[in-house]
């Protein structure tokens, strides 16, 4: 069955407890449950890993799966320096939407650079937990 992979990277398992003034009070489970409720016709796979290699493994596994409609990826801080994740995204045919809860351009200068942006289909940043829903909509609209 066709599905969308929602893939979260390092420290996003701490949502709700981690800097709530920046990332909000919802947990990752809250956000995922909200997506499932809001898009009842969509089959989701929700995955979170702290490790770079595990994230790359997920990108390889779903990225070549013809059933995968697209990948909503919040790569956390790897966004800003992981050429290995950028290479994995470039290697796979599935569309990948770079997604951030916070507005990375309004924060520290190191967050303004994304090494994955050039190989992603597009980027959504700064809409809080709503960023994930906007990324899902971008995949559905394709
Ligand atoms: C983040 C922004 C990144 O800079 C940061 O390292 C994160 C979360 C966001 O969702 O706003 O871990 O990707």
């Amino acid at each position: 069955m066709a599905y969308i992979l929602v893939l979260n990277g390092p420290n996003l398992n701490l949502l709700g407890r981690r800097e709530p003034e920046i990332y909000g009070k919802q947990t990752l489970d809250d956000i995922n449950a909200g997506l499932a409720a809001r898009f009842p016709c969509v089959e989701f796979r929700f995955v979170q890993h702290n490790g770079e290699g595990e994230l790359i493994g997920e990108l390889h596994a779903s990225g070549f799966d013809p059933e995968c409609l697209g990948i909503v990826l919040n790569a956390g801080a790897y966004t800003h320096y992981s050429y290995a994740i950028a290479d994995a995204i470039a290697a796979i045919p599935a569309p990948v939407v770079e997604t951030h809860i916070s507005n990375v351009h309004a924060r520290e200068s190191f967050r303004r650079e994304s090494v994955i942006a050039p190989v992603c289909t597009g980027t959504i940043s700064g809409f809080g937990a709503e960023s994930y829903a906007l990324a899902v909509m971008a995949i559905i609209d394709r």
Side-chain angles (χ1 to χ4, degrees), residues 9 15 17 24 34 42 60 69 74 81 92 99 104 120 123 125 129 137:
L15 286 177
R17 288 185 286 163
V42 176
H60 291 174
L69 299 172
N74 186 344
Y81 67 92
I92 60 176
T99 304
V104 288
C120 285
T123 300
S125 175
M137 283 189 251

Side-chain angles (χ1 to χ4, degrees), residues 22-137:
I22 296 173
Y23 298 114
K25 290 184 183 155
Q26 290 191 71
T27 66
L28 188 53
D29 282 347
D30 292 337
I31 291 172
N32 291 344
L35 289 176
R38 182 138 163 211
F39 301 99
C41 297
V42 176
E43 174 82 9
F44 286 106
R45 291 195 190 163
F46 298 112
V47 179
Q48 187 274 333
H49 289 298
N50 289 314
E52 190 177 24
E54 293 158 303
L55 292 168
I56 291 168
E58 291 293 340
L59 290 167
H60 291 174
S62 288
F64 285 105
D65 182 351
E67 294 291 309
C68 180
L69 299 172
I71 300 171
V72 174
L73 174 64
N74 186 344
Y78 289 135
T79 303
H80 312 299
Y81 67 92
S82 176
Y83 297 108
I85 289 178
D87 280 352
I89 296 167
I92 60 176
V96 177
V97 180
E98 176 188 354
T99 304
H100 301 286
I101 296 168
S102 64
N103 178 355
V104 288
H105 298 286
R107 301 181 60 196
E108 303 97 315
S109 59
F110 78 87
R111 294 187 206 275
R112 284 185 210 133
E113 186 183 2
S114 167
V115 300
I116 68 170
V119 289
C120 285
T121 305
T123 300
I124 294 171
S125 175
F127 297 94
E130 184 68 10
S131 290
Y132 291 95
L134 294 170
V136 168
M137 283 189 251

